Amino acid sequence: MRIKLINPNTTGSMTDLIAAAARSVAAPGTEIIAATSRSGPASIECHFDEAMSVVGLIDEIIDAPAADAYVIACFGDPGLLAAREITDAPVFGIAEAAMHAATFVSTGFSVVTTLERTRIITEHLVRNYGMEHQCRRVRATDVPVLELERPESNARATILAECERALVEDQSSAIVLGCAGMADLAAYLEDRLQIPVIDGVAAAVKFAEAIVGMGLKTSKRGDLAPPLPKIYRGKLASYAPGNGLVGSTTSLKAG
Ligand code: 5HY
C-alpha cells in the first residue's frame, strides 16, 4: 500500500524527520511517499498560517501518483475535511490520529505542544474531536516549531520538563506530542516518563494501514462528497471544482 505523507509547511528538513518516523513504524508492504508543500509558510503556528497552507496541501493530494491513503503531518490538521472531500482515499490528520490512539492506552492524556497560541488552536481540536473527557490538559512549551530542529534551543529538555509536569499536575497517564516536528522525541520521552508517548505521525500511518486494510474509503454521502462545480475567481480560478484540477470525476479517480 502507498501512503502519501504530506508536510503542509515548506520546511524540507522537517519532512525528512517526519518521513523517518513514518518509515520506522510502517509495515513491510507499506510505501511512504513523503512530500513537502511547495507553497506556504515555513512553519504553521497560527490560524493564518493554517489557512495559507491549505492550497499547498491540496496540490499534494491532487498531484499524481495517487495514494491509498494520505496523512497530513501537521498537528493543527489543516485542511483535513477539505482533503477528505476531494479524494475517496482515507485522509488522516496527526492530531486526530494521536488523540484516538491515546484513548486506547489511557483514560486521560495531556497534549504537549509548541507555542501558547498553538495551545488554544489545539483546544479547539480537542472539542471538535469530542476529546474533552479524555484530554486532561493542553500544555504549551513556547518552543517555536523550527526551534525543535536546533539542538541549541534545548527543546528536548523543555518538552521533557513539561511532560513531567503533566504527569503530576494533570494526573495524565499518556502524552500526545503536539507537533509533527516532535516525531523523533517519542522514544526518548517514553523511556524517561515510563508512560505511553504518542507521536501522531506514527499513529496516523498505522491507522492508515488499518483502514486501508479494511477496505474502507471516505464516505461520499453527505458533506464529504466532492465539492460542487462552480466558478472560482482570481488567484484560485484553476482550483474551481469541476474544471479538471479538483473535480468530482478527477478526484475520485485520484483516490
Ligand atoms: C506542526 N506546525 O505539526 C504544527 C504544530 C504546531 O508547522 N507543524 C507545524 O506546533 O503548531
Side-chain angles (χ1 to χ4, degrees):
M1 114 179 29
R2 181 189 284 153
I3 299 176
K4 188 162 185 183
L5 177 72
I6 304 163
N7 175 12
N9 80 34
T10 49
T11 300
S13 51
M14 187 169 291
T15 311
D16 295 343
L17 180 147
I18 295 165
R23 291 191 179 112
S24 75
V25 296
T30 299
E31 182 192 356
I32 302 288
I33 304 175
T36 309
S37 177
R38 287 160 289 165
S39 55
S43 63
I44 300 171
E45 300 180 310
C46 64
H47 299 293
F48 185 76
D49 291 344
E50 284 196 358
M52 290 292 126
S53 74
V54 173
V55 171
L57 167 79
I58 296 298
D59 284 338
E60 293 303 328
I61 292 176
I62 58 187
D63 267 9
D68 298 296
Y70 296 86
V71 171
I72 302 173
C74 172
F75 202 80
D77 292 352
L80 177 59
L81 293 177
R84 284 178 178 156
E85 288 181 354
I86 62 160
T87 175
D88 61 355
V91 184
F92 299 85
I94 65 168
E96 191 177 34
M99 289 187 213
H100 281 287
T103 66
F104 297 136
V105 294
S106 73
T107 54
F109 62 86
S110 295
V111 179
V112 175
T113 189
T114 51
L115 300 184
E116 174 61 19
R117 63 192 300 170
T118 308
R119 184 184 67 71
I120 299 166
I121 295 174
T122 302
E123 284 177 351
H124 288 156
L125 291 182
V126 167
R127 287 195 288 277
N128 270 347
Y129 297 151
M131 290 284 168
E132 298 100 319
H133 294 299
Q134 289 96 340
C135 179
R136 301 239 162 103
R137 187 160 161 184
V138 181
R139 291 175 164 269
T141 53
D142 263 329
V143 176
V145 171
L146 296 182
E147 288 293 294
L148 290 168
E149 296 190 341
R150 290 184 50 246
E152 316 84 84
S153 72
N154 214 24
R156 196 173 264 244
T158 307
I159 293 163
L160 174 61
E162 198 60 38
C163 291
E164 284 167 340
R165 279 192 284 277
L167 302 199
V168 176
E169 294 172 17
D170 313 343
Q171 297 287 298
S172 283
S173 48
I175 298 288
V176 164
L177 298 176
C179 182
M182 296 178 182
D184 61 334
L185 296 182
Y188 162 83
L189 293 170
E190 201 161 78
D191 188 49
R192 274 148 192 86
L193 301 167
Q194 295 295 304
I195 57 162
V197 177
I198 296 136
D199 153 42
V201 176
V205 166
K206 298 315 281 181
F207 281 134
E209 289 179 343
I211 297 297
V212 172
M214 290 168 74
L216 294 174
K217 293 199 173 269
T218 296
S219 175
K220 292 295 146 187
R221 187 181 171 92
D223 67 320
L224 297 181
L228 297 172
K230 69 184 63 164
I231 294 168
Y232 278 27
R233 298 193 174 89
K235 287 182 183 153
L236 298 182
S238 62
Y239 292 88
N243 81 352
L245 198 56
V246 175
S248 37
T249 40
T250 345
S251 59
L252 284 177
K253 258 192 247 142

